[in-house]
Amino acid sequence: MDTHDFDLFVIGAGSAGVRAARVAARHGARVAIAEDDKVGGTCVLRGCVPKKLFVHAAHFADELEDSVGFGWTTKGVSFDWPTLRDNVTADTDWLSGVYIRNLEKAGAELIRSRAVIEDAHRVRLVGEDRSVTTRYILIATGGRPDLDRMIGGVERAIVSDDVFHLRQLPRRIVIVGGGYVALEFAGVFNAFGVETTIVHRGAELLRGFDADIRKSVHATLQHRGVDVICGDKLARIEEDGRGLVATTHGGRRLEAGEVLLAIGRLPNTEGIGLEKVGVVVGADRRIAVNEYCRTSVENIYAVGDVTNRFQLTPVAIREGEAVAETLFGGRPTVVDHAAIPTAVFSQPEVGTVGLTEEAAKAAHAAVDIYKANFKPLHHRVAGRDERMLLKLVVDAQTDIVLGFHAIGLGAAEMAQLVAVAIKAGATKADFDATVALHPTQSEEIVTMRSPVERYRAPISLPEPAPAK
Ligand SMILES: Cc1cc2nc3c(=O)[nH]c(=O)nc-3n(C[C@H](O)[C@H](O)[C@H](O)COP(=O)(O)OP(=O)(O)OC[C@H]3O[C@@H](n4cnc5c(N)ncnc54)[C@H](O)[C@@H]3O)c2cc1C
């Protein structure tokens, strides 16, 4: 008989940890899960959920503006930040409660304490000044916003966690970063009437996304009044008595009520006993795992943002579940990380799945590109000067659809559905055979008939033999 206090000890009650704990407990394992903050983690408390609620709030600005073309009068309409902030906090607190109840129902023991690994089978509960023993340990400690210490006065900046608790909206904000978090908050603040500037060190926003989408996002943000500065870095943040002044290496002086750093996230791998027990961490400080989420130590597993894979909630949840199934469900489970759909909830939003045009051309000898670039019906009457872009990337040799990229109304919802087709290996002929649903934006996905570009990799001929 196993003499440990628990079969599984989970460190961190975020998306990944909670799912693993619940599934393992349902399989009859004796499970404990430690959390040193509110239960729910980044997604529920300071990520996807409150962010998406802010994005919903921002959409009303567009809808009010657009409604005039449809005959509505909107005079006297105003926005109250504390109402939104407090309603969102109440909702995330409620969700945190749901997570707690679900853990209880599953029979997992929730321990409100910071947990640190003492040895491969022993965890210290710092808040309770005691240790427990366990057969397996699962590290699900997530991540936190990165701070660029090279920026002078960086302590004056806020990070994404702080946005959800701002006492008041600033009149101006400088957002540092060019990834999805920076762009989503830029859209939100801009919609709330905050003068918004993005400073991004790269040549273009949204590294890793399809080039057409990157260009389109950039242009639309600017069109909506966001000042986008690429190829420059923040040097320092100072106070001048009236507010903050952010100065860039390129010599720009930007006055702002707040400076938001959205430059990426660091994994929570420090101070949890990894070195002591021999868990290997990569150069990016993330925990290296095998396909079963096992670390370099036999009985210690890691899932979610703390590992070196994708930092997305559904991925974290899948990984947590896979570990529980592998260890206690009698079903060794590997998470398939291919063709994961993802969105940027900017204004307008981006949805994407599969290979970008650039990645497809690098990996395939023949690639056809299909694009639909149009003004949605809604925008014509609304008088909104914005277009939608839908794009399919197709392997011209097999006809298999490799990638889908969209910007505009409903792009994220589209990406989720096209992901099913891509996962199923659908061909362009399958898309063509599907009857359009009219009138929608997404009907364009099945009505793109001719490629706008036919890429064929240059054939490399063998070197001619040297003349004798
Ligand atoms: C602003 C923002 C927006 C986002 N939007 C999206 C989105 O739209 N879609 C999407 O898919 N993803 C989004 N993400 C990413 C998503 O939130 C994360 O991928 C996901 O939450 C990771 O889950 P996790 O369980 O790995 O970590 P977390 O949810 O971070 O959970 C880790 C938990 O461990 C706890 N912990 C840490 N150390 C210890 C310790 N030693 N002892 C006890 N407890 C500890 C932490 O307090 C935390 O609760 C967003 C992230 C941010 C920041």
Side-chain angles (χ1 to χ4, degrees):
M1 202 189 110
D2 191 275
T3 54
H4 296 108
D5 297 326
F6 297 102
D7 296 315
L8 177 68
F9 194 100
V10 183
I11 308 180
S15 304
V18 167
R19 177 57 67 101
R22 286 176 59 198
V23 175
R26 278 208 308 260
H27 281 307
R30 296 165 303 146
V31 180
I33 179 166
E35 173 56 59
D36 67 349
D37 197 335
K38 284 185 187 173
V39 171
T42 305
C43 173
V44 168
L45 300 162
R46 44 195 173 266
C48 335
V49 174
K51 177 276 304 276
K52 188 73 192 283
L53 288 168
F54 279 14
V55 169
H56 282 311
H59 279 169
F60 285 105
D62 277 6
E63 282 169 24
L64 285 166
E65 201 179 304
D66 293 351
S67 71
V68 176
F70 290 90
W72 293 87
T73 305
T74 57
K75 259 195 218 111
V77 175
S78 64
F79 170 70
D80 183 52
W81 164 253
T83 302
L84 172 67
R85 181 198 59 205
D86 296 348
N87 285 347
V88 168
T89 303
D91 189 72
T92 55
D93 282 348
W94 171 81
L95 252 182
S96 175
V98 171
Y99 270 57
I100 293 171
R101 285 192 292 282
N102 284 343
L103 281 170
E104 284 166 357
K105 262 193 258 164
E109 184 180 333
L110 173 62
I111 300 172
R112 303 296 202 125
S113 165
R114 180 170 172 73
V116 175
I117 300 171
E118 279 189 330
D119 66 40
H121 292 281
R122 185 179 295 274
V123 177
R124 176 129 202 96
L125 303 171
V126 179
E128 301 191 352
D129 201 18
R130 66 180 172 111
S131 298
V132 293
T133 60
T134 178
R135 194 168 153 210
Y136 296 105
I137 295 173
L138 178 63
I139 305 166
T141 49
R144 61 186 189 282
D146 193 2
L147 282 179
D148 183 351
R149 300 276 169 206
M150 301 303 283
I151 300 174
V154 72
E155 67 284 352
R156 299 192 172 99
I158 58 170
V159 291
S160 59
D161 296 359
D162 304 315
V163 172
F164 304 108
H165 308 289
L166 283 179
R167 248 169 28 91
Q168 59 195 34
L169 279 183
R171 226 160 46 80
R172 289 199 202 101
I173 190 161
V174 171
I175 301 180
V176 185
Y180 80 94
V181 172
L183 268 51
E184 291 176 343
F185 282 124
V188 164
F189 281 113
N190 185 50
F192 296 161
V194 178
E195 274 179 50
T196 306
T197 303
I198 293 177
V199 179
H200 173 48
R201 64 180 181 176
E204 186 52 285
L205 304 170
L206 281 183
R207 187 163 59 92
F209 282 71
D210 190 272
D212 279 329
I213 296 295
R214 300 175 72 184
K215 268 186 260 157
S216 182
V217 164
H218 188 141
T220 318
L221 275 169
Q222 270 180 330
H223 181 67
R224 285 177 168 244
V226 176
D227 185 14
V228 182
I229 301 167
C230 285
D232 201 354
K233 274 175 78 171
L234 213 61
R236 57 186 180 276
I237 306 167
E238 292 155 316
E239 268 181 65
D240 75 348
R242 286 172 304 160
L244 301 176
V245 179
T247 309
T248 69
H249 284 280
R252 287 186 176 84
R253 189 179 178 280
L254 306 162
E255 291 181 7
E258 300 286 359
V259 175
L260 167 62
L261 284 196
I263 54 171
R265 290 176 67 77
L266 293 175
N268 289 325
T269 42
E270 296 98 7
I272 56 170
L274 299 186
E275 313 75 22
K276 208 165 142 192
V277 80
V279 168
V280 170
V281 172
D284 56 359
R285 299 201 228 170
R286 296 184 186 278
I287 298 177
V289 288
N290 73 2
E291 72 272 33
Y292 291 102
C293 303
R294 205 176 68 204
T295 70
S296 51
V297 178
E298 183 91 29
N299 69 313
I300 302 184
Y301 288 69
V303 285
D305 280 12
V306 77
T307 65
N308 55 358
R309 297 167 297 182
F310 291 82
Q311 277 87 55
L312 290 170
T313 294
V315 179
I317 290 173
R318 285 257 168 146
E319 291 169 358
E321 183 157 341
V323 169
E325 288 297 342
T326 301
L327 297 180
F328 306 107
R331 206 166 59 93
T333 306
V334 172
V335 175
D336 177 4
H337 288 96
I340 293 170
T342 179
V344 182
F345 294 102
S346 45
Q347 324 281 322
E349 69 187 28
V350 169
T352 176
V353 55
L355 296 188
T356 62
E357 178 178 333
E358 301 74 32
K361 286 176 176 173
H364 295 263
V367 177
D368 285 349
I369 305 295
Y370 296 80
K371 287 186 202 174
N373 185 327
F374 59 99
K375 194 172 212 184
L377 183 63
H378 168 278
H379 289 5
R380 296 212 300 267
V381 172
R384 179 167 289 281
D385 187 17
E386 269 175 20
R387 299 180 70 77
M388 250 193 106
L389 173 68
L390 305 182
K391 178 170 176 180
L392 286 176
V393 179
V394 178
D395 181 337
Q397 287 175 330
T398 60
D399 200 38
I400 288 175
V401 178
L402 302 170
F404 167 73
H405 311 279
I407 178 166
L409 290 177
E413 304 286 343
M414 288 182 206
Q416 175 69 88
L417 297 178
V418 174
V420 179
I422 290 186
K423 207 76 192 151
T427 59
K428 180 65 170 59
D430 293 322
F431 279 64
D432 295 343
T434 306
V435 174
L437 195 164
H438 183 70
T440 59
Q441 278 79 245
S442 50
E443 68 182 296
E444 301 283 340
I445 298 171
V446 297
T447 56
M448 294 184 226
R449 288 285 173 255
S450 319
V452 294
E453 189 194 334
R454 293 176 198 273
Y455 167 80
R456 303 293 177 261
I459 300 165
S460 48
L461 296 171
E463 291 283 311
K468 288 210 172 121

